[in-house]
Amino acid sequence: MLALRLRDGLRHRGPDDAGAWFDQDVGVWFGQRRLSILDLSPLGHQPMHSPCGRYVLTFNGEVYNYKELRHRLESAGYTFRGESDTEVVLLACAAWGVEGAAQCFEGMFAFGLYDRAERVLWLVRDPMGIKPLYYAHRGDSFAFSSELTALLPLPWIDRSINQDALFSYFRYAYVPAPASILNSVKKLSSGTLLRFAHGEAVCSSYWDLAERVTTLRQSVNASMSLQEAADELEIRLRHSVRQHMQSDVPYGAFLSGGVDSSALVALMQSESSYPVKTFSIGFREASHDESAHARAVARHLGTEHHELILDSDEIPALVPTVAGFFDEPFADNSSIPTYLVSRFARESVTVCLSGDGGDELFGGYPRYFWAKRIEALRQRLSPGGARLAARMLQAIPATVWDHMVNPALGYRYSSAEGLAYRVRRFAAYLGCDRDAAYKNTMSVWSDPGHLLGFEAKHSLGVDAVHYPDLSWAEEMMLVDQRNYLQDDILTKVDRASMAVSLEARVPLLTHPIVEWSWQIAPSLKLADKGDRGKLVLRELLYRHIPKALIERPKQGFGMPVGKWLRGPLKDWGESLLRPADLDACGLNAKVVSSVWREHQMGLDRQATLWTVLMYRQWYQQVIGI
């Protein structure tokens, strides 16, 4: 049966149990694969039916405040058969309506609820878009799933490429919601519910971050000190960590030794009566290896630390495998180490907490503090003066920045890529208008139309939003929270972890913490001097871990792709970049071949090449060319 084949195509997301329900009279079918985390008994089986028989639920994720909601429901006279959060979600929807219930949930979730009395299907996705939800609609036919690939066998799914989505992918290395890479499929956006009845699908927002920010910025406590803010953040984050540690199966945490993961693990360990299991991976290449830092933090906190060090010759065989876990083209190469650490952790635990979100909420990326300074600098420079200063900075050779200026400044402004890289990014921001700065500096391909032969007709994601009432730094933080987090970071974590049936949880991204982050002054996030962000999170962390173990240039969770494309990944790359194949999937073969040659000659073209390679890998697997 096709329906069961679609369901079991998601077995990696739910290896512990399988269920199905079919209402033959109206032609509604639900299928569920379950990864059992809370209430491992048959009482947690899905699809789950309400006691009255009116509602049927298929639910993915976790609602962390389910015990509080259960108490409210019990006080109102509802009774429960089991101990799962799924049952709480079901009865909450029955008691308060779908929208009212969704507004009460704190967690990561995507679910479908069918109302048999009204013959209405509801879809709901969590406020931050932590859990994925795809859907397709044609006429009276409607289908939804946690992954796009599960929908592809349906005969009415059109596999033609969404050109606007493809254009955005080559600009930002991901496909922004609500689009998918296919014209016939969409993603439900974060904080959104969908109502489908009588052949009509209508989306509405039950929690909108931009609207909340407008309200929250009016109540910022400008007099709050850094210490007071850290006190409040610790209370809130500790509560979230405690909730995220709820599990009937073994759990642990990813630990890189950076600010976010270290703060998370410090609070986990203080809440645990035994050593928390922590996991990290490293590479032989020192420039991409943080394992020593993670080891030092783990030793200080007393965790049960697990470490895996990899050689570059282990990577080539993994690249096409990891690319296959993503149901759309996805070119964030940190997906590979994320998969590796997930696979490593799954040998010991079923749930892992992750520190994702700290950079976006509390100002961890250099572009945020650069924006603050550039705004001040532009008040003293004319637009022409700003562009001239930018050109002068870019004209200075990289060797001067990296080998002369960087040591003279005590490496305070450096990063893993060196000082020259950051100076040129700074100059790029300085040399363009605010409205164009994010696009110009974050674009992988500055002009995707040169590669694709067409321009986007409709703006998606980042290109469709501006928040001029915010400071430039705050605007970029909000743009990242609404787009980059959902469509890149959280997509990466979900697919890489669920590929090995590991549930990854993100305590920093409960919507109450996100909202609170907008109620503190920007000065509690970004330093006035020096390249320092996340001030309030650092202040919290230093109460648990010495500064000396944390303070160092920011290092992303990536890998030396540029080097590998000239070595162990070269043959794989060339096999995907044959001119006939590039032409067949709509890419300009001459442009790609030129970029490939430049990279092989020593220029750094790995970011642009990676978007092409990941698209070609996806196209080959899904379209067949």
Side-chain angles (χ1 to χ4, degrees):
M1 180 181 179
L2 175 61
L4 293 179
R5 183 158 63 90
L6 300 180
R7 180 199 67 184
D8 292 340
L10 297 175
R11 189 181 188 280
H12 54 284
R13 300 187 74 93
D16 300 328
D17 189 22
W21 166 77
F22 180 48
D23 186 327
Q24 192 167 3
D25 293 337
V26 293
V28 177
W29 184 89
F30 277 4
Q32 173 82 26
R33 295 292 322 196
R34 185 184 180 209
L35 176 64
S36 301
I37 304 294
L38 293 170
D39 190 351
L40 310 184
S41 75
L43 294 175
H45 180 77
Q46 296 188 53
M48 186 176 287
H49 300 253
S50 62
C52 64
R54 176 175 175 176
Y55 301 101
V56 186
L57 173 70
T58 176
F59 173 81
N60 175 36
E62 306 288 341
V63 170
Y64 299 115
N65 64 334
Y66 78 100
K67 290 182 179 179
E68 302 162 28
L69 300 179
R70 177 178 176 132
H71 178 71
R72 284 177 56 187
L73 290 164
E74 288 175 330
S75 299
Y78 287 86
T79 59
F80 289 80
R81 294 168 290 186
E83 300 296 327
S84 71
D85 59 335
T86 303
E87 191 174 2
V88 173
V89 171
L90 178 60
L91 294 188
C93 290
W96 306 324
V98 176
E99 183 171 1
Q103 291 172 340
C104 295
F105 298 152
E106 295 178 17
M108 57 176 194
F109 51 84
F111 65 84
L113 180 85
Y114 186 66
D115 182 338
R116 301 181 72 185
E118 298 291 332
R119 294 192 174 185
V120 173
L121 170 69
W122 294 91
L123 301 185
V124 183
R125 192 176 182 195
D126 67 73
M128 296 304 293
I130 303 170
K131 282 298 176 184
L133 189 53
Y134 290 85
Y135 68 94
H137 172 213
R138 193 178 78 175
D140 291 331
S141 298
F142 190 94
F144 67 95
S145 175
S146 295
E147 296 184 7
L148 182 151
T149 47
L151 302 176
L152 294 179
L154 292 171
W156 52 273
I157 294 293
D158 175 12
R159 298 196 184 194
S160 64
I161 303 297
N162 180 331
Q163 291 194 331
D164 291 334
L166 187 62
F167 192 93
S168 291
Y169 163 74
F170 278 107
R171 186 179 294 288
Y172 296 115
Y174 58 79
V175 175
S180 88
I181 193 63
L182 300 184
N183 283 309
S184 58
V185 180
K186 293 183 178 180
K187 294 192 281 277
L188 193 66
S189 294
S190 58
T192 300
L193 54 85
L194 179 150
R195 183 183 188 272
F196 178 73
H198 310 297
E200 183 180 11
V202 179
C203 291
S204 60
S205 172
Y206 69 89
W207 187 88
D208 184 273
L209 178 58
E211 291 180 0
R212 295 297 299 138
V213 167
T214 299
T215 301
L216 294 167
R217 295 305 289 153
Q218 298 173 6
S219 59
V220 171
N221 184 353
S223 65
M224 179 181 285
S225 69
L226 182 61
Q227 291 73 28
E228 290 171 334
D231 290 342
E232 188 165 345
L233 177 58
E234 178 151 6
I235 292 170
R236 292 173 178 273
L237 186 53
R238 185 179 292 276
H239 174 69
S240 180
V241 165
R242 195 180 300 124
Q243 287 185 322
H244 282 68
M245 291 169 69
Q246 296 174 117
S247 175
D248 293 331
V249 294
Y251 64 84
F254 300 136
L255 178 62
S256 69
V259 172
D260 306 338
S261 67
S262 297
L264 176 66
V265 171
L267 294 183
M268 287 181 70
Q269 190 57 67
S270 68
E271 291 290 324
S272 179
S273 57
Y274 55 86
V276 171
K277 292 181 173 66
T278 53
F279 303 90
S280 68
I281 62 168
F283 296 99
R284 302 292 180 193
E285 290 82 0
S287 63
H288 288 72
D289 181 52
E290 289 189 298
S291 59
H293 304 302
R295 195 182 315 127
V297 170
R299 187 182 304 115
H300 177 80
L301 294 174
T303 71
E304 180 189 317
H305 192 57
H306 304 255
E307 179 183 288
L308 177 67
I309 304 298
L310 297 164
D311 289 309
S312 61
D313 59 8
E314 300 176 60
I315 301 300
L318 286 172
V319 170
T321 301
V322 175
F325 298 147
F326 290 85
D327 33 18
E328 299 182 88
F330 185 78
D332 183 339
N333 65 51
S334 66
S335 60
I336 295 175
T338 303
Y339 163 72
L340 291 169
V341 74
S342 297
R343 186 180 68 176
F344 180 49
R346 189 62 176 91
E347 296 173 3
S348 305
V349 299
T350 309
V351 173
C352 242
L353 275 61
S354 177
D356 295 289
D359 288 316
E360 293 80 7
L361 265 59
F362 298 108
Y365 296 131
R367 57 182 173 270
Y368 303 148
F369 22 90
W370 292 346
K372 181 179 178 181
R373 289 175 200 143
I374 289 172
E375 277 194 316
L377 184 59
R378 280 181 168 167
Q379 292 177 359
R380 300 192 295 270
L381 293 173
S382 66
R387 289 191 292 271
L388 177 61
R391 287 196 295 270
M392 291 173 64
L393 289 170
Q394 291 171 326
I396 298 174
T399 53
V400 173
W401 291 116
D402 289 337
H403 302 303
M404 297 175 65
V405 179
N406 204 10
L409 295 176
Y411 300 93
R412 291 193 305 274
Y413 302 97
S414 186
S415 68
E417 294 89 354
L419 181 60
Y421 172 82
R422 299 189 73 177
V423 168
R424 285 172 180 168
R425 291 290 296 272
F426 179 90
Y429 279 96
L430 182 61
C432 62
D433 295 333
R434 169 173 164 167
D435 287 347
Y438 191 99
K439 178 178 72 175
N440 289 355
T441 54
M442 297 298 291
S443 292
V444 180
W445 287 83
S446 59
D447 180 13
H450 184 53
L451 172 69
L452 297 170
F454 62 82
E455 297 296 322
K457 295 180 180 178
H458 304 97
S459 296
L460 298 174
V462 172
D463 294 335
V465 293
H466 292 288
Y467 307 103
D469 294 336
L470 297 175
S471 71
W472 193 9
E474 290 178 304
E475 180 182 33
M476 286 195 286
M477 291 171 71
L478 180 53
V479 166
D480 281 340
Q481 289 173 29
R482 292 197 71 187
N483 298 277
Y484 179 64
L485 255 179
Q486 173 185 225
D487 297 320
D488 186 311
I489 301 298
L490 295 172
T491 295
K492 171 188 69 179
V493 172
D494 176 81
R495 305 305 193 279
S497 60
M498 293 308 295
V500 293
S501 308
L502 177 77
E503 179 170 279
R505 298 177 174 180
V506 282
L508 280 164
L509 290 177
T510 59
H511 71 274
I513 290 181
V514 175
E515 291 185 349
W516 179 83
S517 75
W518 286 99
Q519 293 178 284
I520 63 173
S523 60
L524 300 177
K525 302 175 185 179
L526 305 172
D528 289 330
K529 297 180 180 179
D531 280 8
R532 282 172 59 81
K534 298 190 284 193
L535 299 184
V536 64
L537 192 56
R538 290 176 189 273
E539 182 68 20
L540 183 160
L541 177 59
Y542 298 153
R543 300 173 179 183
H544 301 273
I545 298 174
K547 287 185 180 181
L549 292 183
I550 300 298
E551 292 300 333
R552 62 183 184 276
K554 183 173 180 60
Q555 187 169 339
F557 194 24
M559 55 180 206
V561 168
K563 176 182 176 182
W564 292 344
L565 286 175
R566 300 186 189 100
L569 291 178
K570 183 177 180 180
D571 289 345
W572 167 77
E574 290 179 339
S575 73
L576 289 173
L577 301 183
R578 298 185 182 99
D581 294 337
L582 292 168
D583 289 336
C585 66
L587 303 183
N588 187 318
K590 290 183 179 179
V591 170
V592 175
S593 296
S594 176
V595 174
W596 178 260
R597 285 194 302 271
E598 289 175 356
H599 189 78
Q600 297 305 317
M601 293 169 60
L603 297 176
D604 184 6
R605 299 290 184 262
Q606 66 92 5
T608 49
L609 285 173
W610 201 250
T611 59
V612 176
L613 291 166
M614 290 298 98
Y615 179 62
R616 278 287 301 121
Q617 185 77 45
W618 174 85
Y619 199 92
Q620 187 178 74
Q621 292 172 338
V622 174
I623 307 300
I625 299 176

